[in-house]
């Protein structure tokens, strides 16, 4: 009698007894987290141990490169800076630190360095949230010691004033009248003293500051945006002592002539300053004369921005007089001032004698047809100016024709902004054709 035939499942059970759960040996673990998964490798256990204890026992340079990479990938981004700053140079780690704190991160503005971005923005946050006489200065000084080698630029977008002390007799918020607030007559409140840090940053090349409070909302008072005399004095001394500073920007600080002149007086013999930006303030002719003096004595200044101020003919004339002697300035921005025809005429006379200026902006200055004639003469003789912005001035149809004639023999101008100048379309079209031709010739010469 033949044995009964077995189906496929029964054949598998005979061939592999372990496949039958009834015959397989079973192990019940007392640890509920125990599983049948493969036991982790010893190297993974060691890496995990190093990461978990990094704050107490930082171990990195002693590891092999492949193990070091695993540790850096797993390190927490909130470790104390006193541990990570001197030890971690890996850009991947600092990239994770930046993205964990800020939603927008662009390394193009930081020399493609994530570590530099982190330390610069971290220091900026500390300064912007510092309240005089309330915030512990030790937080800034400790971070400064760890960050000093990585900071090349500081852009401070706000500075908080000292908190008002009601017991000292300063007016309370409810007691400040609307008229007093509008006129800015509240008591002066001082801000962060940059002299405490600026000399401790050996690589600082650019300093940009705005004295004011962001997002103040209904708590607005003019005192929140006041650049006090004490602030001015401290900043001027700090900038003068920072001989490696190359760019100084003080925008939207409500700076007036007296304070601007004090700052400029400390910059007369500065050995490194190349860019001075005092745009969007309240400076006038006195500051214009001070800038003229700076241009006369400074031998390395390349850019001056005085946009959106109240400089008139006298201040512009002083700048023009110094411009004739200056041999380093490349960019001059006088946009949104009040220099008028007299100031514009003097600027044009200076442009006839300068050979280094490449870019000038005279837009929105109340210039008329007479200045167009002077500018046309500049276009005929000046062989250095490449960019001219003269928009929002009433040059008129006659002024457009004069400019068109003056530009016929010009071969260097590449930008000529004539928007809202009331010149004819025919003149504008002819001028733009010349500009286009100059650009094409320049591009061809570069390609050759």
């Amino acid at each position: 009698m033949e044995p009964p035939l077995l189906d496929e499942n029964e054949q598998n059970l005979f061939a592999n007894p372990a496949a039958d759960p009834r015959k397989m040996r079973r192990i019940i673990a007392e640890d509920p987290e125990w599983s049948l998964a493969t036991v982790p490798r010893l190297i993974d256990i060691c890496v995990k141990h190093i990461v978990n204890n990094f704050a107490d026992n930082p171990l990195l340079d002693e590891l092999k490169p492949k193990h070091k990479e695993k540790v850096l990938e797993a390190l927490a981004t909130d470790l104390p800076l006193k541990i990570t700053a001197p030890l971690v140079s890996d850009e991947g780690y600092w990239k994770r630190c930046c993205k964990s704190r800020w939603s927008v991160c662009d390394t193009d503005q930081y020399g493609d360095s994530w570590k530099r971005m982190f330390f610069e923005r971290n220091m900026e946050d500390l300064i912007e949230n510092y309240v005089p006489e309330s915030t512990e200065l030790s937080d800034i000084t400790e971070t400064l010691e760890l960050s000093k080698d990585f900071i090349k630029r500081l852009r401070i977008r706000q500075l908080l004033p000292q908190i008002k002390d009601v017991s000292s007799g300063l007016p309370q918020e409810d007691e400040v009248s609307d008229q007093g607030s509008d006129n800015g007559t509240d008591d002066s409140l001082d801000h962060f003293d940059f002299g405490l840090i600026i000399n401790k940053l050996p690589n600082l090349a650019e300093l940009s500051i705005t004295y004011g409070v962001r997002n103040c909302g209904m708590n607005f008072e003019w005192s929140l945006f006041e650049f006090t005399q004490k602030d001015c004095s401290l900043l001027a001394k700090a900038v003068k002592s920072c001989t490696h500073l190359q760019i100084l920007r003080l925008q939207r600080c409500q700076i007036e002539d007296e304070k601007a002149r004090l700052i400029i007086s400390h910059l007369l013999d500065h050995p490194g300053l190349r860019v001075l930006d005092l745009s969007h303030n309240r400076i006038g002719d006195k500051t214009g004369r001070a800038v003229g003096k700076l241009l006369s004595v400074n031998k390395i200044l390349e850019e001056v921005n005085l946009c959106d101020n109240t400089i008139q003919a006298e201040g512009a004339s002083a700048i023009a007089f110094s411009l004739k002697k200056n041999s380093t300035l490349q960019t001059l921005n006088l946009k949104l001032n009040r220099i008028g025809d007299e100031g514009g005429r003097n600027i044009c006379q200076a442009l006839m004698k300068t050979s280094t200026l490449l870019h000038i902006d005279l837009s929105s200055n109340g210039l008329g047809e007479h200045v167009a004639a002077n500018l046309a003469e500049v276009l005929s003789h000046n062989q250095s100016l490449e960019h001219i912005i003269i928009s929002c001035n009433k040059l008129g149809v006659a002024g457009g024709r004069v400019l068109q004639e003056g530009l016929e023999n010009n071969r260097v101008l590449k930008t000529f902004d004539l928007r809202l100048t009331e010149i004819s379309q025919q003149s504008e079209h002819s001028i733009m054709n010349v500009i286009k031709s100059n650009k094409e010739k320049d591009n061809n010469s570069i390609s050759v």
Side-chain angles (χ1 to χ4, degrees):
M1 181 177 179
E2 296 182 358
L5 297 176
L6 301 177
D7 58 24
E8 184 177 355
N9 292 333
E10 291 175 333
Q11 292 177 7
N12 291 335
L13 292 176
F14 277 105
N16 183 18
D20 186 357
R22 295 170 298 178
K23 298 181 179 180
M24 186 180 72
R25 183 178 179 183
R26 300 178 65 189
I27 301 176
I28 300 177
E30 296 180 358
D31 185 356
E33 296 181 0
W34 186 90
S35 68
L36 291 173
T38 305
V39 176
R41 297 183 304 165
L42 180 59
I43 185 62
D44 295 333
I45 297 176
C46 293
V47 168
K48 184 177 181 181
H49 178 79
I50 293 174
V51 170
N52 292 337
N53 295 274
F54 201 84
D56 299 322
N57 183 25
L59 186 66
L60 194 62
D61 293 336
E62 297 84 354
L63 304 177
K64 293 182 178 180
K66 59 180 181 180
H67 301 152
K68 184 177 180 180
E69 183 178 354
K70 289 180 177 292
V71 171
L72 290 171
E73 290 176 354
L75 277 182
T77 58
D78 57 353
L79 288 171
L81 281 181
K82 63 181 180 180
I83 296 175
T84 56
L87 192 60
V88 181
S89 60
D90 179 68
E91 285 289 290
Y93 172 77
W94 295 109
K95 179 179 180 179
R96 290 195 295 115
C97 291
C98 290
K99 289 185 173 293
S100 67
R101 286 190 58 177
W102 304 290
S103 58
V104 178
C105 298
D106 184 7
T107 56
D108 289 342
Q109 303 179 30
Y110 300 89
D112 293 326
S113 172
W114 289 98
K115 189 171 186 178
R116 176 188 163 189
M117 175 194 282
F118 180 86
F119 282 104
E120 286 187 4
R121 295 185 68 170
N122 181 61
M123 180 58 66
E124 289 168 358
D125 288 347
L126 290 175
I127 295 175
E128 288 176 354
N129 293 286
Y130 174 82
V131 180
E133 307 298 334
S134 298
T135 306
E136 288 291 337
L137 190 61
S138 58
D139 295 339
I140 294 180
T141 55
E142 290 175 2
T143 304
L144 179 66
E145 187 62 29
L146 300 169
S147 311
K148 61 182 182 180
D149 294 330
F150 310 102
I151 296 178
K152 298 182 180 180
R153 176 181 59 193
L154 286 177
R155 293 183 296 183
I156 309 302
R157 299 172 297 172
Q158 77 165 9
L159 286 172
L160 300 179
Q162 184 178 351
I163 296 177
K164 295 179 180 180
D165 186 1
V166 179
S167 62
S168 65
L170 292 179
Q172 299 184 36
E173 181 179 352
D174 296 337
E175 295 175 353
V176 179
S177 65
D178 293 338
Q179 181 179 0
S181 179
D182 291 339
N183 294 332
T185 58
D186 296 339
D187 292 335
S188 298
L189 302 176
D190 296 335
H191 303 83
F192 179 76
D193 178 12
F194 285 89
L196 300 173
I197 67 166
I198 199 169
N199 287 323
K200 299 178 181 179
L201 297 172
N203 300 318
L204 183 66
E206 179 177 347
L207 180 61
S208 177
I209 307 174
T210 297
Y211 282 80
V213 178
R214 305 178 71 205
N215 304 320
C216 60
M218 296 301 293
N219 296 319
F220 171 82
E221 293 182 25
W222 279 115
S223 60
L224 299 178
F225 300 84
E226 187 173 1
F227 182 53
T228 68
Q229 189 64 40
K230 184 176 181 181
D231 292 329
C232 180
S233 178
L234 293 174
L235 180 62
K237 294 177 181 177
V239 170
K240 182 178 181 179
S241 62
C242 186
T243 56
H244 49 272
L245 187 68
Q246 299 179 18
I247 302 174
L248 176 62
R249 303 187 190 277
L250 299 174
Q251 302 172 331
R252 301 186 303 278
C253 296
Q254 302 290 326
I255 301 177
E256 298 174 344
D257 279 329
E258 181 183 357
K259 296 166 186 173
R261 291 175 65 192
L262 177 60
I263 293 174
I264 293 174
S265 67
H266 284 74
L267 298 175
L268 293 177
D269 56 350
H270 196 284
L273 191 69
R274 298 183 180 276
V275 177
L276 177 62
D277 186 348
L278 297 176
S279 59
H280 308 290
N281 285 294
R282 299 161 65 181
I283 58 180
D285 289 336
K286 293 182 179 179
T287 301
R289 292 198 298 270
V291 171
K293 183 176 181 181
L294 178 64
L295 291 174
S296 299
V297 300
N298 190 291
K299 303 303 180 183
I300 61 173
L301 196 62
E302 298 176 356
E303 179 181 343
V304 173
N305 188 350
L306 302 174
C307 166
D308 190 17
N309 282 288
T310 60
I311 299 174
Q312 301 183 26
E314 183 182 352
S317 300
I319 294 174
F321 180 79
S322 301
L323 198 58
K324 299 176 183 178
K325 306 176 182 179
N326 185 278
S327 60
T328 59
L329 193 69
Q330 299 179 11
T331 301
L332 176 62
N333 189 345
L334 291 172
K335 177 182 178 181
L336 289 169
N337 279 279
R338 308 170 187 175
I339 67 174
D341 284 346
E342 181 183 353
R345 183 165 53 251
N346 291 328
I347 291 289
C348 289
Q349 291 176 359
L351 295 178
M352 293 286 291
K353 299 184 178 181
T354 181
S355 59
T356 57
L357 198 67
L358 304 177
H359 185 132
I360 188 167
D361 190 340
L362 298 175
S363 55
S364 301
N365 265 289
L367 307 180
E369 293 183 5
H370 299 294
V371 176
N374 297 116
L375 185 57
E377 190 175 358
V378 172
L379 295 175
S380 301
H381 295 85
N382 187 292
Q383 297 301 314
S384 63
L385 270 174
E386 297 181 355
H387 308 278
I388 299 178
I389 303 177
I390 198 169
S391 58
C392 301
N393 288 294
K394 296 182 179 181
L395 304 182
V397 176
R401 287 196 297 267
V402 173
L403 290 174
Q404 179 183 345
E405 295 172 359
L407 198 59
E408 290 179 352
N409 297 321
N410 188 291
R411 298 294 179 267
V412 295
L413 195 65
K414 301 179 181 63
T415 302
F416 200 8
D417 191 345
L418 290 163
R419 293 173 296 170
L420 301 176
T421 54
E422 301 181 2
I423 68 173
S424 66
Q425 291 184 354
Q426 181 181 358
S427 297
E428 184 176 3
H429 180 70
S430 300
I431 290 172
M432 291 303 107
N433 284 337
V434 175
I435 298 298
K436 181 179 179 181
S437 176
N438 291 347
K439 287 182 178 180
E440 291 175 350
K441 292 178 180 178
D442 184 65
N443 292 334
N444 291 336
S445 63
I446 294 176
S447 60
V448 172

